Amino acid sequence: MATVNVTHFTEENESVKGEEITIEEDSLSQECKEFILSLPREKGWRTRYLYLFQGFWCQAMEIQAIITFQKHFQAKDNDVIVASIPKSGTTWLKALTFAIVNRHRFPTSINPLDTFVSSWIFLNKVMPEYLPKLTLEEAFDMYCKGIIGFGPTWNQMLGYWKESIARPSKVLFLKYEDLKKDVNFNVKRIAEFLGCSFTQEEESNGVVESIIKLCSFENMK
């Protein structure tokens, strides 16, 4: 694995030699390289390391993106943010949300165990060749410790759930199992939350069913 040596400065400006930046982190800004060296780290799933940043385990590139986002992003009242743990139906939910909001322009949180299995299968497929594959037992141990991208999973889900209770008009908390069990009901629920409820005429004309079909797994393959 290619590495580059960097000098890391502590808060007391004392230089510490010999730290390493991995190849996937080489494109980071120098400031971010120095910053991540101060963070706790553990073995990663598809990168060599995950770093504990603001209470969650992230890849180095993600940390740089998050810092930039937090510094510069200005939310607007009509922004819609779809947030979820990776491999928990994110693409499906994004497709449904887009189709609901834009239905006039176009013709017509998952069980942690399921998330773990899906993540393990997917990440082993996309893992760089220079990293060894994670065994199911090793991955499960890491997952239970919360060491997974944007983990611990339960902390993230609990955070959104608490916000949905505190600010129900701003945060809608959905579970993948519920969405899959009754797509029709939850599509109408999402539309109502977004302020674009279906009219009686739209429901009678099968617009809800058309959106569900448009965003089905078969159509998104």
Side-chain angles (χ1 to χ4, degrees):
M1 180 191 67
T3 61
V4 293
N5 290 324
V6 300
T7 299
H8 169 54
F9 291 95
T10 64
E11 292 182 357
E12 295 77 23
N13 291 324
E14 295 177 353
S15 61
V16 179
K17 302 289 187 179
E19 297 283 6
E20 288 185 337
I21 292 294
T22 61
I23 191 170
E24 60 263 14
E25 299 160 2
D26 193 26
S27 60
L28 299 176
S29 68
Q30 185 63 28
E31 181 182 10
C32 190
K33 287 178 183 178
E34 294 177 356
F35 173 65
I36 65 171
L37 291 175
S38 68
L39 299 176
R41 72 183 185 187
E42 292 285 350
K43 178 180 178 180
W45 288 60
R46 61 171 177 166
T47 55
R48 188 164 294 276
Y49 298 115
L50 286 174
Y51 297 89
L52 187 61
F53 176 63
Q54 296 183 353
F56 294 93
W57 292 97
C58 306
Q59 298 174 34
M61 288 295 295
E62 293 165 345
I63 293 173
Q64 180 166 272
I66 292 168
I67 292 173
T68 301
F69 177 86
Q70 292 176 340
K71 283 182 177 179
H72 302 291
F73 178 72
Q74 296 293 324
K76 299 179 181 178
D77 288 339
N78 60 347
D79 282 343
V80 177
I81 299 175
V82 178
S84 70
I85 287 287
K87 308 306 295 178
S88 61
T90 310
T91 302
W92 186 28
L93 183 57
K94 287 194 295 185
L96 286 170
T97 302
F98 180 85
I100 290 168
V101 172
N102 293 281
R103 65 182 184 272
H104 300 300
R105 296 174 54 196
F106 299 93
T108 307
S109 177
I110 191 170
N111 186 302
L113 178 60
D114 293 335
T115 303
F116 160 68
V117 174
S118 181
S119 296
W120 175 69
I121 293 173
F122 172 75
L123 293 176
N124 262 336
K125 288 181 179 178
V126 301
M127 185 176 291
E129 293 183 0
Y130 62 81
L131 291 179
K133 301 294 184 183
L134 286 174
T135 65
L136 184 63
E137 293 76 12
E138 183 181 20
F140 185 69
D141 182 63
M142 293 169 66
Y143 189 86
C144 289
K145 292 177 180 177
I147 304 171
I148 187 172
F150 305 108
T153 301
W154 41 90
N155 285 4
Q156 185 180 121
M157 291 191 294
L158 183 61
Y160 284 117
W161 180 77
K162 287 181 176 179
E163 282 298 305
S164 72
I165 300 299
R167 300 192 298 163
S169 64
K170 294 293 185 181
V171 181
L172 176 64
F173 189 84
L174 293 172
K175 292 190 290 185
Y176 177 82
E177 292 84 1
D178 292 344
L179 182 60
K180 192 172 181 180
K181 183 178 180 180
D182 194 341
V183 185
N184 190 292
F185 170 79
N186 282 289
V187 164
K188 289 189 282 188
R189 185 182 172 203
I190 294 170
E192 182 180 359
F193 173 77
L194 294 173
C196 53
S197 299
F198 294 98
T199 64
Q200 189 64 48
E201 181 180 4
E202 286 178 320
E203 291 194 38
S204 299
N205 290 335
V207 174
V208 177
E209 289 75 15
S210 296
I211 287 176
I212 293 171
K213 183 178 180 181
L214 177 67
C215 301
S216 66
F217 294 133
E218 290 73 19
N219 279 340
M220 292 196 299
K221 286 181 179 178

